[in-house]
Amino acid sequence: MKKQFVLCALPLLLAGSAGAAAPASPSQAAASTRSCHLPGVTEALRCVSVPVPLDYADPRAGTLKLHITVAPALREGTRADPLFVLAGGPGQAGSDVLTLLPALQRVRATRDLVFIDQRGTGLSGKLDCESKPEHERMSEEQLEAELRACISSTKVRYGAYTTAASARDLEQVRRALRYGQVNLWGGSYGTRLAQVYARAFPASVRSLVLDGVAAPDQVIPAGARDAQAALDGLFAQCAKDAGCNKAFPALRAEFNALVARLERGGIPVSLPDPRTAEPVSFTMTAPRFLGTVHNILYSPADARRLPFLIHSASQGRWGPFVARQNLSTDFGMDASMSMLLHLAVVCAEDVPRLTPELLAQDTGQLTKTLAEKFPSICKTMNVPAVPLAAPARIEAPALLLSGALDPVTPPHRAATAARYMARAQQVVVANAGHGVSQLGCAPRLLREFLDKPQAALDTACLKKIPAPTFQLGSAGPQP
């Protein structure tokens, strides 16, 4: 569940596989179901293909096949209301977050779990660009040119890939699978989709669990202030920790000096490739460095390694930092992201509200460069703007989970979302970052809430989630 919003540096934008699936023909109208085995899951699940209109505004556009993964309830004949799982991004697919299955096992005891591959992601016609090994060594200008070429060469109706269209898809899925009311679990951007669906189809929603909550008015690229607050908080925590402060007494100064050097033109780096041990040389740039730092802040356990990584880089030892940077493209969410879907949504729904005034107010270093590039990239996407509608009140009970250390959707975003909900319970977990559902007693609390969404939830057990220890040397975090 880690890293669900994508607010990374431009060099990470090109990760993924090539091409988009062709739309299904209009004659393929019925859902089809088969037993399937998906990566990362040992048991057989049910894979369902549900045809939906490719463009709800144009019946002649044909259909698109949505991929749905169903983990059936472990007990027969218990609950008729499933849990729909909506991944983040935008650009991540439900089939990419099947790692949530263990955390949702208590829920699955009595309910089907339905993982949705949103249109344009995963196995639902993934919209992406080819990932090439040479991308890692290209300059920002070269990468941007590659991205623009990919956008222009992919012949897709980008304007059909909106959150509103995905919400209408969810209703098609609900009907195709013959469910009555459904519960929604959304992570990060999935919380936006869940809220849009709950407003568009209120009679279809029994309850919502929103983890890493996006506010209705949140502009995804304008995240510099939230990211800076998380980074400043980490520096303050290191200063208060005896071991961290002793090992890295000048941490903030080292970070600022690194950024200043990088912004003057980059730092040449030569080292054994962390993957292959072969000698490699490249230029570490400010966008690559800041994008990786932002990525690391999503997880508190990962963030507690950051002082060591910054200090090592400031001493010229870039190996640990580069090894961590590689995780994003090798195994992280960037490897599975549907980048063109991400751009289709953000360019239509967020960038039109990314005014010069908002950019000026959004102070912070980590995401500023990428935010400033978005308007130009979105001109190449050429999608029509989606006006922000006044959010209607959501009547269904909602559980809002926030990590106090979240650099993307911190608690104030959930507080804003809760203002438009009739029955919202907001929970802030002190030692959590971007994602709470898999931590500590949270899996049990999810089941308790879904069984009785009207009842007040006792969340005191979440206070027992400890803060991770800092990494002070190459051996790893302290015991």
Side-chain angles (χ1 to χ4, degrees), residues 165-323:
S166 292
R168 295 181 71 170
D169 291 346
L170 294 181
E171 183 67 0
Q172 298 274 353
V173 171
R174 184 191 68 82
R175 293 178 177 178
L177 299 184
R178 301 184 184 278
Y179 290 123
Q181 283 193 319
V182 300
N183 307 285
L184 303 172
W185 181 95
S188 198
Y189 166 77
T191 70
R192 176 189 285 189
L193 176 55
Q195 292 173 77
V196 170
Y197 177 68
R199 291 186 169 102
F201 302 98
S204 299
V205 178
R206 177 177 176 269
S207 72
L208 303 93
V209 177
L210 306 180
D211 191 348
V213 188
D217 63 348
Q218 185 166 350
V219 177
I220 290 177
R225 181 177 294 180
D226 290 338
Q228 190 66 43
L231 182 61
D232 290 343
L234 177 69
F235 288 159
Q237 292 164 2
C238 180
K240 292 178 181 178
D241 182 271
C244 189
N245 187 55
K246 181 179 179 181
F248 316 116
L251 178 61
R252 189 184 294 269
E254 290 176 339
F255 176 81
N256 290 336
L258 270 175
V259 173
R261 287 178 61 196
L262 290 164
E263 289 180 340
R264 287 195 297 266
I267 298 175
V269 175
S270 296
L271 49 80
D273 190 312
R275 298 188 185 96
T276 65
E278 294 293 325
V280 63
S281 297
F282 61 95
T283 298
M284 178 63 68
T285 63
R288 291 175 194 265
F289 177 75
L290 295 173
T292 301
V293 170
H294 186 236
N295 177 289
I296 290 170
L297 289 170
Y298 278 68
S299 162
D302 210 6
R304 294 300 180 101
R305 299 181 175 93
L306 191 54
F308 168 74
L309 299 178
I310 292 171
H311 177 73
S312 297
S314 74
Q315 302 297 309
R317 299 191 303 274
W318 281 97
F321 189 90
V322 172

Side-chain angles (χ1 to χ4, degrees), residues 61-93:
T63 60
L64 171 72
K65 284 186 177 181
L66 290 185
H67 175 85
I68 315 299
T69 308
V70 180
L74 299 175
R75 302 174 191 168
E76 295 291 335
T78 49
R79 298 277 187 174
D81 52 289
L83 182 68
F84 277 24
V85 179
L86 312 178
Q92 193 179 30

Side-chain angles (χ1 to χ4, degrees), residues 14 33 44 63 70 87 99 136 141-142 222 266 282 347 358 389 422 428 445:
L14 291 164
T33 303
T63 60
V70 180
T99 50
E136 292 186 3
E141 293 75 17
Q142 291 171 320
F282 61 95
C347 290
L358 178 57
V428 178
L445 296 180

Side-chain angles (χ1 to χ4, degrees), residues 297-421:
L297 289 170
Y298 278 68
S299 162
D302 210 6
R304 294 300 180 101
R305 299 181 175 93
L306 191 54
F308 168 74
L309 299 178
I310 292 171
H311 177 73
S312 297
S314 74
Q315 302 297 309
R317 299 191 303 274
W318 281 97
F321 189 90
V322 172
R324 172 54 187 82
Q325 179 181 271
N326 290 345
L327 287 176
S328 298
T329 51
D330 289 350
F331 305 108
M333 187 180 139
D334 293 316
S336 60
M337 277 292 301
S338 304
M339 185 46 57
L340 296 181
L341 184 278
H342 178 84
L343 291 173
V345 172
V346 173
C347 290
E349 301 174 15
D350 297 86
V351 170
R353 296 184 284 125
L354 190 64
T355 62
E357 294 77 16
L358 178 57
L359 272 174
Q361 297 166 7
D362 190 37
T363 54
Q365 298 170 290
L366 299 186
T367 65
K368 202 76 167 182
T369 300
L370 182 58
E372 291 171 348
K373 286 183 178 290
F374 257 108
S376 175
I377 294 171
C378 288
K379 287 183 180 179
T380 306
M381 289 293 295
N382 192 29
V383 290
V386 175
L388 178 66
R393 190 172 175 84
I394 293 176
E395 297 295 332
L399 176 63
L400 280 56
L401 302 172
S402 300
L405 309 178
D406 190 339
V408 188
T409 51
H412 75 87
R413 301 292 189 181
T416 299
R419 292 206 295 265
Y420 304 99
M421 298 177 181

